Amino acid sequence: MSRKVCQQRHGRSRQDSNSHPNDHLFSTPARAVIVQLLRGGFRPDASRWRGGIEGNPDVTISMYEASVGLFVPHLRNLSGLLDKGVAYAETRKFNPAVLLGMRLAPNMYDLAQQVGEACRHAVVAPALLAELEPVALPALEHDMAGLQARIATSIEFIESLPRAEIDAAAERNVFFRLKNGTELPFTGRALLLTFSVPQFFFHVTTAYDLLRHAGVELVKKDYLGRK
Amino acid sequence: MSRKVCQQRHGRSRQDSNSHPNDHLFSTPARAVIVQLLRGGFRPDASRWRGGIEGNPDVTISMYEASVGLFVPHLRNLSGLLDKGVAYAETRKFNPAVLLGMRLAPNMYDLAQQVGEACRHAVVAPALLAELEPVALPALEHDMAGLQARIATSIEFIESLPRAEIDAAAERNVFFRLKNGTELPFTGRALLLTFSVPQFFFHVTTAYDLLRHAGVELVKKDYLGRK
């Protein structure tokens, strides 16, 4: 039923995968052993090479890319969503803080809390991976300037975290502490894939949905980020 | 301001990383070369080893884990959300299809379309990575049984895709075709991190938000998946 398509589209054929652009870094005997190892299924971790990594079929996704690399641009997008909410409120002549108290259901978080939760997940997960204390965020503000400051503080903090520590945390045991004190155990990888990334996108999306529901004219690119 | 915490919590110290449980698979001369390579910063890709990968600081996130591994459980969760919508409609004695036509804003997709988009992104991204044609989904249904069948077909398709092909696609060039025919170019990794994963979670979350807005009693675990 399915068939191979677009074979012409990937630049490098699979047969090339046993040679590596950095082979010349090794002596001839060492290279001979490397070739044997590669033929036996042994693969270098390309992220350790200083050279380019294009075309290496074993390059995957780093823990940093799947945490800081996702959270920072989407926190910036979230900041942009709030800016559009403020502009809408000014046009319609109402206090932008009204938006921050809106909810999609009586027992769901309001917009300010959705922003707060997005920041919390974006800060706590990378901090756990880096084994550093998360930055202390103030009590939740129900004003736009306070929320923008919270987003900026969150971005500044997670951008300051050491990439190597985060990248090394895939198999490390981490414990996410819920607000009720319960500690959920994860490996670093499972923290991101089964908890923090879905949580983060939940709260950013719900912030978008709330603003759309309130009448703010947003488009999908405001959520995805403009290229 | 930040300080190291929880040092006692990760099971294996960083100093162990130059030895590997599978070292005995290699002859003594080969092993001597491997040790030299490791000391020089050369690291095996642990996903290629048949043995356990616990404790290896270079293990990251595979393309498969970041696509099929995310989409399948969250499609199942989405199916569960719809089931709760049906149960709610039966309790309140209205046609469940009413829920499928609800929108958070007049120019947003309705619930059925949100489910359709979640399935589309979950199917197309892994198919592009595997270089296989995506399964053909029927025209969008506005009935619960049709949407449940669409979710089931999507799960069955993406679970059938070859893991090795997807794992090898991080640096491959792929083209996501929009409904208007425009083709967006990505590397496989960028497709997931900057487009398909955020899109997928957007539509699943918005489906959740719509159901909550309609009065269906859902909790966060219905979105995250029950453990």
Side-chain angles (χ1 to χ4, degrees):
Chain A
M1 195 152 45
S2 299
R3 61 184 177 76
K4 288 268 176 183
V5 290
C6 304
Q7 288 286 19
Q8 78 286 1
R9 278 196 172 143
H10 61 296
R12 192 173 176 182
S13 79
R14 215 64 54 78
Q15 292 92 310
D16 291 341
S17 64
N18 276 1
S19 70
H20 193 284
N22 285 350
D23 276 358
H24 68 277
L25 295 179
F26 296 100
S27 65
T28 305
R31 197 163 68 195
V33 173
I34 293 169
V35 168
Q36 287 304 314
L37 294 175
L38 290 170
R39 286 188 179 146
F42 187 99
R43 290 290 180 276
D45 173 1
S47 67
R48 294 286 176 148
W49 295 89
R50 288 182 189 166
I53 55 173
E54 292 76 21
N56 187 315
D58 297 311
V59 177
T60 58
I61 294 170
S62 74
M63 291 290 290
Y64 190 87
E65 288 168 326
S67 55
V68 179
L70 282 177
F71 300 149
V72 167
H74 283 275
L75 284 174
R76 291 211 175 95
N77 299 345
L78 180 59
S79 166
L81 299 179
L82 295 181
D83 282 341
K84 291 210 168 184
V86 170
Y88 178 76
E90 287 171 357
T91 304
R92 298 298 186 96
K93 303 194 193 315
F94 67 84
N95 185 340
V98 172
L99 293 170
L100 299 177
M102 290 185 70
R103 304 169 192 268
L104 289 172
N107 55 348
M108 281 184 83
Y109 282 156
D110 65 22
L111 177 56
Q113 290 168 313
Q114 300 292 347
V115 174
E117 288 300 292
C119 290
R120 184 166 76 103
H121 287 289
V123 159
V124 172
L128 283 171
L129 299 177
E131 298 184 284
L132 292 165
E133 283 281 5
V135 64
L137 294 169
L140 191 71
E141 314 83 353
H142 271 72
D143 69 284
M144 286 285 184
L147 289 176
Q148 291 288 11
R150 175 178 292 260
I151 293 171
T153 301
S154 302
I155 291 173
E156 186 182 15
F157 170 72
I158 62 180
E159 283 190 328
S160 77
L161 293 172
R163 182 173 187 137
E165 294 289 321
I166 292 174
D167 277 345
E171 298 285 332
R172 190 186 297 147
N173 293 322
V174 297
F175 297 83
F176 188 97
R177 183 171 298 170
L178 300 178
K179 287 174 178 169
N180 66 12
T182 305
E183 290 203 328
L184 301 179
F186 297 96
T187 62
R189 181 200 287 108
L191 175 74
L192 292 183
L193 293 178
T194 70
F195 190 75
S196 298
V197 168
Q199 288 269 25
F200 176 76
F201 281 119
F202 179 92
H203 294 291
V204 172
T205 298
T206 302
Y208 176 100
D209 286 345
L210 264 163
L211 288 165
R212 291 285 268 115
H213 187 59
V216 182
E217 276 297 334
L218 303 171
V219 293
K220 182 64 83 60
K221 275 190 179 168
D222 294 312
Y223 166 78
L224 285 175
R226 295 192 176 270
K227 302 287 173 199
Chain B
M1 195 154 46
S2 298
R3 60 184 177 76
K4 288 268 176 183
V5 290
C6 304
Q7 288 286 20
Q8 78 286 1
R9 277 193 172 145
H10 61 296
R12 191 174 177 182
S13 80
R14 216 64 54 78
Q15 292 92 308
D16 291 342
S17 64
N18 276 2
S19 70
H20 193 283
N22 285 350
D23 276 357
H24 67 278
L25 294 178
F26 296 99
S27 65
T28 305
R31 197 163 67 195
V33 173
I34 293 169
V35 168
Q36 287 304 314
L37 294 175
L38 290 169
R39 286 188 180 147
F42 187 100
R43 289 291 180 275
D45 173 0
S47 67
R48 294 284 176 149
W49 296 89
R50 288 181 189 167
I53 55 173
E54 291 76 21
N56 186 315
D58 297 311
V59 177
T60 57
I61 294 170
S62 74
M63 292 290 291
Y64 190 87
E65 288 168 326
S67 55
V68 179
L70 282 177
F71 299 149
V72 167
H74 283 275
L75 284 175
R76 292 211 175 96
N77 299 345
L78 180 60
S79 167
L81 299 179
L82 295 181
D83 282 341
K84 291 211 168 181
V86 170
Y88 178 76
E90 287 170 356
T91 304
R92 297 298 186 95
K93 303 193 194 315
F94 67 84
N95 184 341
V98 172
L99 293 171
L100 299 177
M102 289 185 71
R103 304 170 192 269
L104 289 172
N107 55 349
M108 281 184 83
Y109 281 157
D110 65 22
L111 177 56
Q113 290 168 313
Q114 300 292 347
V115 174
E117 288 299 292
C119 290
R120 185 166 76 102
H121 287 289
V123 159
V124 172
L128 284 171
L129 299 177
E131 298 185 285
L132 291 166
E133 283 281 5
V135 65
L137 294 170
L140 191 72
E141 315 82 354
H142 271 72
D143 69 284
M144 286 285 184
L147 289 176
Q148 291 287 11
R150 175 178 292 260
I151 293 171
T153 301
S154 302
I155 291 172
E156 187 182 14
F157 170 72
I158 62 180
E159 283 190 328
S160 78
L161 293 173
R163 182 173 187 137
E165 294 289 321
I166 292 174
D167 277 345
E171 298 285 332
R172 190 186 297 148
N173 293 322
V174 296
F175 297 83
F176 188 97
R177 184 171 297 172
L178 300 178
K179 287 174 179 169
N180 66 11
T182 305
E183 290 202 328
L184 302 179
F186 297 96
T187 62
R189 181 200 288 109
L191 174 74
L192 293 183
L193 293 178
T194 71
F195 190 75
S196 298
V197 168
Q199 288 269 25
F200 176 76
F201 281 119
F202 178 93
H203 294 292
V204 172
T205 298
T206 302
Y208 176 100
D209 286 345
L210 264 162
L211 288 165
R212 291 285 268 115
H213 187 59
V216 182
E217 276 298 333
L218 303 171
V219 293
K220 181 63 84 60
K221 275 190 180 169
D222 294 312
Y223 166 78
L224 285 176
R226 295 192 176 271
K227 303 286 173 198

